[in-house]
Amino acid sequence: MVLADSFGRVATDLRVSLTDRCNLRCAYCMPPEGLDWLPAPEVLTGDEIVRLIRIGVTMLGIREVRFTGGEPLLRRDLASIIARTAAVRPRPEISLTTNGIGLARRAADLRKAGLDRINVSLDTLRPEVFRKLARRDRLPDVLEGLAAAAAAGLAPVKVNAVLMRGLNDDEAVPLLRYCLSNEYELRFIEQMPLDAQHGWKRAEMVTADEIFAALSSAFTLSVDEARVRGSAPAETFLVDGGPGRVGVIASVTRPFCGSCDRVRLTADGQVRNCLFAREESDLRSLLRSGAGEAEIAARWRAAVAGKLPGHGINDPSFLQPDRPMSAIGG
Ligand code: SAM
Ligand code: SF4
């Protein structure tokens, strides 16, 4: 059995949000005051998360599990969740998306627990811009976290960057230089309408075309024949003939919904078939009412079967989802 939808896509990549909480307040994600966090009893326990992952992998064809949030490093049981995920057979690929704060201390343990790959978010190299954009003074922690991840054997470390007009839109080139010199693989993500405060404006976002133009002023980008795009959202380019690479995820201006292979589980146990879905399917209530594996798997399959063809960001009738990115799991 697989997680198929009515447009022929099959979800094999599970994104698991471990918490909606965060220790940063990135402007494209959250308001300065933060959000009303989920009450603790509503958040899935480690046991519940691992049980759902096991169902996904053994009964529904999930092959990759990415832990995200909110900030997943805020979960003290992260290493244990990773270790128990790594014990599931067939073993899924395990990755983590993090803001990097506290990673310096934990990277080696996470690697030992079974973490295969890591993405660290880094939008600026200037402390004063970091303070404005993430509204906390933590740039050094992120840079230390990145170095620790590479030292722990999580190479090639991937870096995610979102450019915002008037804040860090002049940093495409310095960010790429920094990542190339440290052998990190940088990917720019177009800003999406997923912020809790609904501040996203199509006319203000920095587009993939602008990012290419900026990078092309300093580097020669060529198509990376060795990396077929497949279902991967990033278009990857070799920089100055390689081996360094850079990716651009043009979720808004070049949507890749037609080849999407993702499904999401929120921190409170709801399945979402798309970041932009307006409906969720409640697996937590099934888990907590004593449902068996087959019943949970059936609800999960039905949730994916109803996936729409695309996110519709560019349609005039587009409505932003009720939950922000931090609650869905980016
Ligand atoms: N806290 C972790 C982090 O920042 O990496 C994991 C969760 S965060 C929601 C996951 C990714 O989503 C980050 O790389 C972040 O930059 C990105 N993100 C958040 N809000 C976004 C938005 N409105 N548009 C595009 N990317 C966004
Ligand atoms: Fe936190 Fe990540 Fe959102 Fe930034 S993008 S506020 S680090 S969840």
Side-chain angles (χ1 to χ4, degrees), residues 1-3 59-61 301:
M1 278 295 184
V2 291
L3 291 167
M59 301 173 73
L60 298 169
R301 263 201 308 276

Side-chain angles (χ1 to χ4, degrees), residues 166-202:
L167 268 173
N168 61 339
D169 54 344
D170 54 347
E171 286 199 67
V173 169
L175 279 168
L176 182 53
R177 282 220 169 89
Y178 177 82
C179 288
L180 290 171
S181 69
N182 287 287
E183 298 181 11
Y184 307 148
E185 194 172 315
L186 176 63
R187 299 126 43 96
F188 292 96
I189 309 176
E190 276 182 345
Q191 189 191 349
M192 295 179 277
L194 282 168
D195 55 315
Q197 59 279 31
H198 292 226
W200 182 89
K201 291 195 187 69
R202 180 75 165 79

Side-chain angles (χ1 to χ4, degrees), residues 189-195 200-203 205 207 249-257 274-278 308-321 325:
I189 309 176
E190 276 182 345
Q191 189 191 349
M192 295 179 277
L194 282 168
D195 55 315
W200 182 89
K201 291 195 187 69
R202 180 75 165 79
M205 62 167 281
T207 63
I249 304 184
S251 330
V252 179
T253 59
R254 288 173 227 171
F256 35 84
C257 304
C274 172
L275 261 180
F276 296 92
R278 303 200 52 81
L308 296 175
H311 57 44
I313 296 178
N314 300 306
D315 301 345
S317 58
F318 174 74
L319 278 178
Q320 199 173 318
M325 179 81 133

Side-chain angles (χ1 to χ4, degrees), residues 95-321:
S95 53
L96 177 72
T97 302
T98 170
N99 64 23
I101 293 173
L103 183 60
R105 268 195 328 276
R106 294 173 73 186
D109 281 349
L110 298 179
R111 175 71 180 151
K112 222 184 291 158
L115 185 64
D116 298 308
R117 286 179 284 118
I118 196 160
N119 288 54
V120 179
S121 302
L122 173 71
D123 303 317
T124 176
L125 294 166
R126 293 178 288 178
E128 71 282 7
V129 176
F130 193 97
R131 261 199 308 275
K132 262 198 221 153
L133 204 156
R135 304 188 180 109
R136 299 285 187 272
D137 198 5
R138 307 298 295 268
L139 178 60
D141 304 62
V142 181
L143 301 182
E144 280 166 30
L146 273 163
L154 289 163
V157 173
K158 289 197 176 162
V159 171
N160 292 354
V162 177
L163 298 182
M164 287 186 83
R165 184 88 53 213
L167 268 173
N168 61 339
D169 54 344
D170 54 347
E171 286 199 67
V173 169
L175 279 168
L176 182 53
R177 282 220 169 89
Y178 177 82
C179 288
L180 290 171
S181 69
N182 287 287
E183 298 181 11
Y184 307 148
E185 194 172 315
L186 176 63
R187 299 126 43 96
F188 292 96
I189 309 176
E190 276 182 345
Q191 189 191 349
M192 295 179 277
L194 282 168
D195 55 315
Q197 59 279 31
H198 292 226
W200 182 89
K201 291 195 187 69
R202 180 75 165 79
E204 276 179 24
M205 62 167 281
V206 180
T207 63
D209 283 349
E210 281 179 72
I211 297 168
F212 284 124
L215 294 177
S216 302
S217 70
F219 305 98
T220 305
L221 304 185
S222 53
V223 174
D224 185 357
E225 304 285 356
R227 283 234 187 143
V228 238
R229 187 170 173 191
S231 60
E235 295 175 64
T236 313
F237 299 88
L238 289 175
V239 183
D240 293 338
R245 292 187 171 91
V246 66
V248 179
I249 304 184
S251 330
V252 179
T253 59
R254 288 173 227 171
F256 35 84
C257 304
S259 57
C260 176
D261 63 355
R262 295 172 180 194
V263 58
R264 292 165 197 276
L265 181 66
T266 66
D268 56 348
Q270 313 296 305
V271 167
R272 296 179 67 97
N273 57 30
C274 172
L275 261 180
F276 296 92
R278 303 200 52 81
E279 282 172 20
E280 301 183 336
S281 294
D282 186 5
L283 298 190
R284 187 189 62 195
S285 64
L286 280 186
L287 278 174
R288 294 186 180 174
S289 63
E293 319 303 273
E295 196 182 341
I296 295 171
R299 183 169 296 179
W300 196 336
R301 263 201 308 276
V304 174
K307 180 161 167 158
L308 296 175
H311 57 44
I313 296 178
N314 300 306
D315 301 345
S317 58
F318 174 74
L319 278 178
Q320 199 173 318

